[in-house]
């Protein structure tokens, strides 16, 4: 970002906190970028001539006579197909040592898509992960969070989704990720051959926390460009929305705003919704689907961040370590895709809904059998079979490391059920059993 020529210099700061400064200035717009003694800042409040700015790297060492220069514009990005395969920081500056992208300059904080330009999400988005494609099928234009504990490998799984997803373009937004995770994303993208279709905007844990606030806007603006103007199927991956919300809380607290639940700002719902509502299925065929990691504090789903997220999004995916096998899976019980009914059995095979429901029900029977065993009750023959089925179901279908197509997932599901159960124990329609039961097929 370069300041426009002949911008005035202000050097009378009225108030100063650990993250913000306040001064009087003329002709300043909301969200405009500025420099405070060379440190990047952004306007977060305009009240007449009184202007408040958040200084991304903090105000330590600044005095009330610090020089403030406004850029004359809000954060923007140069849009071009050449964004593909590139890595940028929170200001759109290349991180890969390559030249700056030339293209149309556009402000990053645009409005959400007008409802009359939207279409009902109805196209399957396959990821190769059975816990998603089989049990919680995603639809293009959907917005869904990925709830995970901080010690789980959610970024590695997100990288797998990026490489496997049936999409034309991936836009990754990393907020507060470790440098190791940044290198992991780079290595996996480059080695997989999918790097040329991925655009990455990265803020690491070594960067100023407040810079995270710029990442989602950059990501969504790039996604809208590819989805609307290039008619591409775009998958947006955001990690970690909890660290994004923490940055919002820093600014809110330093401005002496009254905190809401869990010390979060009162605007948290609106701040999150403004990002998630960028998900859209355009009438021209392009789409934006958003999967966003939200880490949980000790698994607390009632915390303000996951709680507000649940009201905005269309389901949730829970990452879980299976206690019996030690494998990482998508929890069949707590996960939900509210739009899966738009595609399962319609864009997928006819037996998909029934197989999905039967497998989860049998897995629930195994959970009850495990509880009986832990409490010292005797197990019957059906309980024993259920436990063996649950282990096989986890290893052969739920393991997130497996990469298989939806048809193969359904076939494996039938084989698993036929291995441990009789057809009359499944609760599946007879016409589907006659068609897909392994003995009948053979």
């Amino acid at each position: 970002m370069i300041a426009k020529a002949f911008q005035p210099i202000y050097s009378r700061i009225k108030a100063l906190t650990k993250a913000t400064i306040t001064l009087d200035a003329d002709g300043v717009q909301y969200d405009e970028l500025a420099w405070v003694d060379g440190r990047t800042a952004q306007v977060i409040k305009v009240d007449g001539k009184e202007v408040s700015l958040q200084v991304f790297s903090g105000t330590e060492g600044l005095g009330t006579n610090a020089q403030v220069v406004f850029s004359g514009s809000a954060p923007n990005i140069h849009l071009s197909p050449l964004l593909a395969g590139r890595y940028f920081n929170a200001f759109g500056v290349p991180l890969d040592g390559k030249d700056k992208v030339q293209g149309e300059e556009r402000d990053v904080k645009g409005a959400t898509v007008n409802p009359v330009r939207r279409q009902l999400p109805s196209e399957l988005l396959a990821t190769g992960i059975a816990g998603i494609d089989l049990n919680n099928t995603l639809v293009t234009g959907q917005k869904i969070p990925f709830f995970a504990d901080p010690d789980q490998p959610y970024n590695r799984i997100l990288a797998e989704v990026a490489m496997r997803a049936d999409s034309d373009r991936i836009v990754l937004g990393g907020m507060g990720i470790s440098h190791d995770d940044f290198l992991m994303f780079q290595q996996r993208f480059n080695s997989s051959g999918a790097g040329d279709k991925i655009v990455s905007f990265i803020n690491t844990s070594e960067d100023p926390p407040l810079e995270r606030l710029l990442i989602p806007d950059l990501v969504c603006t790039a996604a809208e460009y590819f989805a609307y103007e290039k008619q591409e199927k775009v998958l947006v991956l955001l990690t970690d929305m909890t660290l994004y919300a923490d940055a919002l809380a820093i600014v809110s607290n330093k401005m002496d705003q009254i905190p809401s639940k869990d010390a979060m700002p009162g605007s948290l719902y609106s701040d999150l919704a403004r990002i998630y509502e960028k998900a859209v299925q355009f009438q021209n065929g392009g789409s934006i689907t958003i999967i966003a990691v939200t880490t949980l504090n000790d698994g607390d789903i009632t915390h303000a961040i996951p709680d507000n997220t649940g009201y905005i999004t269309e389901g949730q995916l829970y990452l879980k370590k299976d206690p019996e096998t030690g494998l990482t899976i998508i929890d069949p019980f707590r996960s939900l895709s509210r739009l899966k009914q738009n595609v399962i059995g319609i864009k997928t095979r006819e037996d998909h809904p029934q197989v999905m429901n039967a497998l989860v029900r049998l897995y629930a029977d195994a959970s009850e059998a495990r509880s009986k065993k832990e409490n010292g009750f005797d197990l019957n023959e059906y309980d024993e079979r259920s436990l063996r089925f649950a282990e096989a179901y986890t290893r052969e279908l739920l393991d997130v490391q497996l990469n298989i197509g939806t048809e193969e997932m359904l076939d494996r599901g039938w084989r698993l059920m036929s291995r441990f159960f009789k057809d009359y124990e499944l609760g599946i329609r007879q016409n589907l059993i006659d068609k897909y039961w392994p003995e009948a097929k053979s």
Side-chain angles (χ1 to χ4, degrees), residues 362-363 366 370 385-395:
L362 296 171
Y363 191 70
R370 190 174 298 113
R385 283 190 285 133
S386 296
L387 290 174
R388 294 197 302 274
F389 160 79
E391 181 176 351
Y393 180 45
T394 301
R395 294 187 183 279

Side-chain angles (χ1 to χ4, degrees), residues 24-35:
D24 289 335
D26 295 314
V28 176
Q29 62 175 322
Y30 184 72
D31 279 339
E32 184 174 339
L33 288 181
W35 291 268

Side-chain angles (χ1 to χ4, degrees), residues 17 47 108 305 438:
T17 71
D47 185 6
V108 298
I305 302 171

Side-chain angles (χ1 to χ4, degrees), residues 151-227:
D151 60 346
Q152 292 175 328
Y154 51 86
N155 282 331
R156 294 185 179 276
I157 294 170
L158 214 59
E160 291 294 330
V161 171
M163 293 183 291
R164 302 177 188 178
D166 180 20
S167 61
D168 302 314
R169 191 75 56 191
I170 306 288
V171 187
L172 170 68
M175 293 162 284
I177 65 174
S178 68
H179 191 67
D180 287 343
D181 277 343
F182 177 35
L183 294 177
M184 178 273 298
F185 278 121
Q186 284 186 306
Q187 180 195 13
R188 294 206 174 189
F189 293 167
N190 295 336
S191 63
S192 69
D196 288 342
K197 75 172 187 178
I198 302 173
V199 186
S200 302
F201 297 92
I202 302 295
N203 163 268
T204 70
S205 55
E206 300 169 4
D207 297 323
L210 298 189
E211 291 182 6
R212 300 169 192 164
L213 302 178
L214 300 175
I215 293 289
D217 292 326
L218 285 167
V219 167
C220 291
T221 303
E224 286 174 333
Y225 167 75
F226 286 109

Side-chain angles (χ1 to χ4, degrees), residues 375-391:
N375 286 282
F377 292 97
D378 293 333
L379 301 184
N380 58 35
E381 185 265 344
Y382 180 84
D383 292 333
E384 298 286 357
R385 283 190 285 133
S386 296
L387 290 174
R388 294 197 302 274
F389 160 79
E391 181 176 351

Side-chain angles (χ1 to χ4, degrees), residues 56-214:
F56 292 114
S57 58
T59 61
E60 185 177 354
L62 293 178
T64 55
N65 62 345
Q67 293 189 342
V68 182
V69 180
F70 293 92
S71 69
S73 63
N76 57 56
I77 183 176
H78 289 82
L79 297 172
S80 161
L82 297 176
L83 287 171
R86 300 291 303 276
Y87 296 85
F88 304 90
N89 69 7
F91 300 102
V93 177
L95 292 173
D96 49 18
K98 299 180 182 178
D99 293 337
K100 183 178 179 181
V101 173
Q102 301 299 318
E104 177 193 352
E105 186 176 296
R106 187 176 300 174
D107 287 348
V108 298
K109 268 198 175 177
T112 54
V113 178
N114 191 312
V116 301
R117 305 294 296 273
R118 294 172 179 258
Q119 187 175 342
L120 179 68
S122 59
E123 296 296 326
L124 172 70
L125 179 64
T127 65
I129 298 175
I132 299 176
D133 296 351
L134 181 62
N135 295 339
N136 302 283
T137 316
L138 297 185
V139 181
T140 58
Q142 186 171 358
K143 48 189 178 291
I144 194 165
F146 215 140
F147 292 145
D149 290 326
D151 60 346
Q152 292 175 328
Y154 51 86
N155 282 331
R156 294 185 179 276
I157 294 170
L158 214 59
E160 291 294 330
V161 171
M163 293 183 291
R164 302 177 188 178
D166 180 20
S167 61
D168 302 314
R169 191 75 56 191
I170 306 288
V171 187
L172 170 68
M175 293 162 284
I177 65 174
S178 68
H179 191 67
D180 287 343
D181 277 343
F182 177 35
L183 294 177
M184 178 273 298
F185 278 121
Q186 284 186 306
Q187 180 195 13
R188 294 206 174 189
F189 293 167
N190 295 336
S191 63
S192 69
D196 288 342
K197 75 172 187 178
I198 302 173
V199 186
S200 302
F201 297 92
I202 302 295
N203 163 268
T204 70
S205 55
E206 300 169 4
D207 297 323
L210 298 189
E211 291 182 6
R212 300 169 192 164
L213 302 178
L214 300 175

